[in-house]
Amino acid sequence: MSIGGGWTIRRLGGSVGELHDLNPGPDVDREIWLMSPHNTALVLGSAQPEEIASSAITDGSTVVRRRSAGGAVLVAPDHSVWVDVVIGCRDPLWDDDVNRAPLWLGEVWAAALASLGIGPGEVFDRYEPGPWGRLACFASRGPGEVLVSGAKAVGVTQRRTRTTARFQTLLYRHWDPEELLARLADSSAQLRNALSSAAWPVEAQPADIHAAFLASLPR
């Protein structure tokens, strides 16, 4: 499926690990990947040790690793919406500066949320891990991420090569920090308190979120 602005829309299904392992083609143009994960998984950042995951995970969810930086993220099909954006190095949206590179995407998400009646959204422009951000993604703030009343509504990370950038974005329709804490080795009261209001849930249907995002893309 294609829309204005040269965007190709791909709807991709599979396990969380399979979806993270996808690679853009070397000559990719503009693509939106609407992800449909078939399972629940704790996704570790590229530099995180496996020991941060609880050894007591018994609910059938898995632990996988992504090739982008940042803290752990819980992907849950019923509660999260996962959208990736891929551009090539010749695209006018491309920026060699990794801190500036996702800012345009944050503006897209902020506009999409506003059309859903959520906001105003602040597009963050720097990385502030805070005391817990290196452990849990939504306890940090990074460039391109969208905050509503100080809580993270959209998380953003990126995987880059010399020719492509894959921006991975995720939001929660429902936020229960206990679901994440149950899968982390650290379940301290301090972390629980930090996560209690870390995310701003986007209470809309996935199809409506997708539609709002696609309508807000640059043409």
Side-chain angles (χ1 to χ4, degrees):
M1 173 184 171
S2 297
I3 60 175
W7 296 101
T8 297
I9 313 304
R10 301 176 62 191
R11 297 181 182 272
L12 303 171
S15 71
V16 173
E18 290 169 340
L19 296 176
H20 272 292
D21 285 342
L22 295 173
N23 291 307
D27 299 318
V28 70
D29 199 355
R30 292 180 165 184
E31 293 189 353
I32 306 298
W33 296 0
L34 304 179
M35 303 299 209
S36 296
H38 297 167
N39 65 314
T40 296
L42 178 69
V43 181
L44 305 183
S46 58
Q48 288 188 295
E50 294 185 5
E51 289 74 20
I52 75 162
S54 171
S55 60
I57 297 177
T58 59
D59 64 350
S61 59
T62 59
V63 178
V64 302
R65 185 178 297 280
R66 65 180 185 270
R67 283 177 277 175
S68 52
V73 175
L74 181 66
V75 176
D78 292 336
H79 295 162
S80 55
V81 172
W82 176 7
V83 177
D84 284 6
V85 179
V86 179
I87 61 172
C89 62
R90 296 182 182 87
D91 196 300
L93 296 170
W94 178 278
D95 196 316
D96 289 332
D97 186 304
V98 295
N99 289 314
R100 290 195 306 261
L103 297 183
W104 69 271
L105 183 54
E107 296 291 348
V108 171
W109 267 119
L113 296 184
S115 72
L116 294 169
I118 298 168
E122 173 195 357
V123 179
F124 213 64
D125 62 359
R126 59 196 180 277
Y127 181 54
E128 289 186 356
W132 298 103
R134 289 185 172 85
L135 174 60
C137 171
F138 271 68
S140 70
R141 299 176 176 184
E145 297 186 322
V146 182
L147 310 180
V148 176
S149 297
K152 188 183 295 190
V154 182
V156 179
T157 187
Q158 55 185 308
R159 288 169 48 180
R160 301 170 66 91
T161 69
R162 289 184 299 173
T163 58
T164 62
R166 176 183 175 184
F167 300 98
Q168 301 186 277
T169 72
L170 185 123
L171 58 80
Y172 289 103
R173 300 173 55 233
H174 168 76
W175 174 246
D176 181 356
E178 295 299 326
E179 295 179 346
L180 175 59
L181 286 163
R183 295 166 173 85
L184 295 175
D186 186 336
S187 58
S188 64
Q190 294 91 335
L191 177 58
R192 177 173 277 102
N193 182 63
L195 291 176
S196 63
S197 58
W200 186 279
V202 178
E203 297 177 348
Q205 293 300 311
D208 294 332
I209 295 171
H210 289 160
F213 177 77
L214 297 177
S216 301
L217 287 167
R219 299 296 201 265

